[in-house]
Every structure is written in structure tokens, then in C-alpha cells.
Amino acid sequence: MPVFRLIDDLIFPATDLAEPEGLLAIGGDLSPERLLMAYTNGIFPWYTEGEPLLWWSPAPRLVLFPEEFHMPRSLRRSINKKKFTVTADTAFAEVITSCSQAGHRDLEGTWITAAMQQAYIRLHELGFAHSIECWHEGRLAGGLYGVCIDSFFFGESMFTTITDASKVALATLANNANALNIAIIDCQMTTEHLVRFGAREISREQFQEQLDIQIDSCKPQKKWRL
């Protein structure tokens, strides 16, 4: 299938036209309007520094329903020790910067470019991107961030500098899902790590159905509080 080149108009091709590995389109920009349109249609940007801007919509899609979150015994013990202090939306910029330095998705170097960081910090300022932070002895030890539109949380990345910190952040997100009005967490790519926590693959059709159910008003949110 062809890879579509985006124009200035805010238009994306249908996601079922994506290539087998999920690549859908190239070009465009990282404006808040385009990013929000992408996420509401199950599309996200992913590219490395020096590459063109690439947009993806993989299928099947790995998702985590909060009620299906599996808490390993070792993680439960770590949480019970109260080793970490957990907060939300208090250090978004620091979390995304730390994620960019950690590197993920099996790419050499970081895919969270300076432009990506600026774009998601802007989404955070607008009330559409959020972070969970884990602190140890006053220092940021791990966390995660993503985009939240209505009841749909699109997880982007996580990092850790101390064992279990990112896992505690994920567990906190799942355990506070009801209070934060989150019905589903998009994990994007399938990894054994996330599968161990209860994430599972669903088809493109099922994912689209969840988008239709969980996204309605696309209104910004207040800062999260745990």
C-alpha cells in the first residue's frame, strides 16, 4: 500500500490503509490541532531525529483495560514499602525529557525529539497531556506521560532510574483510572513487559469501536490530582 503524504489541511487517510507494520502517512506538523485529530483517529507520530515526520496506526493494537491490570507480587511489595512518593502533573517537562534520554521502541537514539517534547509540553499546557511521577528522596526516579482525550489515555513513554519506579507509575495510573475517568489505556506497540501487566491485543475494528465509545467532547482537562 502507498504511504500518504500529508498536506497543510488537517486531514488523515483512513487507518485501514496503513502498511502492515502500521506506517500510514508522512509529513504534516506537530501542531496541537493535528496531534489531537491524529489521536482521536488512532494515529500517533513516531520518527527519529533527521527523519521526516511519520504517522502510525498499527494493528493489532496493545491496550490495557484498567480493571484487567495485573499487579505482580514483587511490585505490590515495592508499593507497600512506600519507597516512592507518587504525584501527577507536577513535573511533565522533566518526565518527557527523562523519557527522551532513556530511549524506547527499539530505536537507536531517541524518537522523542526536541520538537516532540515541545509539542507535548504544549498539549500538557492545553490540558490534553498528563504525567505520573515517582519520586525517591526528593528526586525524580521514574514516570510516564501520555495524551488523554475524554476517557481514552494514549500512553506515550515511561522511564525509570530506580528499580520499579516506572512500574509504580503504571500501577498508579491503573489504580486511579476510575477517579481520572479513564476507561482504556493505549499501549500502542506490543511488548512482553506490558503484557505481563495485563495488556492485550485487540483488532483495528475493536480499537476503533473503543475510540467511538470513549471519545466524545474532546475537551481539555484540569491538572490531574491523585
Side-chain angles (χ1 to χ4, degrees):
M1 290 185 180
V3 175
F4 295 85
R5 181 173 292 277
L6 300 182
I7 59 176
D8 291 339
D9 294 342
L10 293 180
I11 299 173
F12 281 99
T15 56
D16 58 4
L17 296 176
E19 292 191 339
E21 72 275 18
L23 181 60
L24 177 66
I26 183 172
D29 56 50
L30 293 171
S31 66
E33 296 80 10
R34 191 180 296 274
L35 282 170
L36 292 174
M37 175 176 284
Y39 281 102
T40 56
N41 285 280
I43 303 165
F44 58 86
W46 175 24
Y47 69 107
T48 55
E49 195 72 62
E51 282 186 346
L53 181 50
L54 304 176
W55 299 88
W56 301 77
S57 182
R61 194 75 162 239
L62 190 74
V63 300
L64 174 62
F65 293 94
E67 65 273 14
E68 297 179 3
F69 179 75
H70 171 68
M71 179 83 75
R73 290 182 180 178
S74 58
L75 179 56
R76 189 179 298 279
R77 288 195 295 269
S78 181
I79 291 175
N80 289 339
K81 290 179 181 178
K82 298 183 179 180
K83 182 178 181 180
F84 301 104
T85 300
V86 187
T87 58
D89 282 349
T90 65
F92 185 91
E94 291 88 337
V95 169
I96 194 171
T97 298
S98 297
C99 287
S100 74
Q101 295 168 348
H104 283 281
R105 295 183 180 168
D106 298 322
L107 292 178
E108 294 182 2
T110 182
W111 58 273
I112 308 176
T113 65
M116 288 275 278
Q117 292 180 55
Q118 293 172 3
Y120 285 83
I121 289 173
R122 181 56 181 152
L123 281 185
H124 173 66
E125 293 170 345
L126 293 172
F128 290 103
H130 302 273
S131 60
I132 302 288
E133 308 96 15
C134 281
W135 306 85
H136 178 66
E137 297 180 351
R139 295 184 178 183
L140 188 62
L144 59 81
Y145 78 95
V147 175
C148 194
I149 303 177
D150 295 343
S151 298
F152 216 123
F153 183 79
F154 302 88
E156 275 297 308
S157 187
M158 60 177 63
F159 84 99
T160 188
T161 60
I162 297 178
T163 301
D164 287 343
S166 62
K167 297 176 184 177
V168 171
L170 179 60
T172 300
L173 177 64
N175 290 338
N176 284 269
N178 283 338
L180 298 173
N181 192 36
I182 294 173
I184 184 171
I185 300 169
D186 176 28
C187 303
Q188 299 180 345
M189 305 292 193
T190 299
T191 66
E192 292 184 5
H193 174 72
L194 290 170
V195 170
R196 286 197 293 269
F197 288 99
R200 57 184 170 92
E201 291 182 342
I202 61 175
S203 68
R204 185 181 300 282
E205 292 74 19
Q206 290 172 314
F207 189 76
Q208 183 60 54
E209 181 180 347
Q210 288 296 323
L211 290 172
D212 294 339
I213 293 172
Q214 307 302 341
I215 296 180
D216 180 23
S217 62
C218 197
K219 292 182 179 179
Q221 302 172 350
K222 295 180 179 180
K223 286 189 175 182
W224 283 358
R225 291 293 178 263
L226 301 177

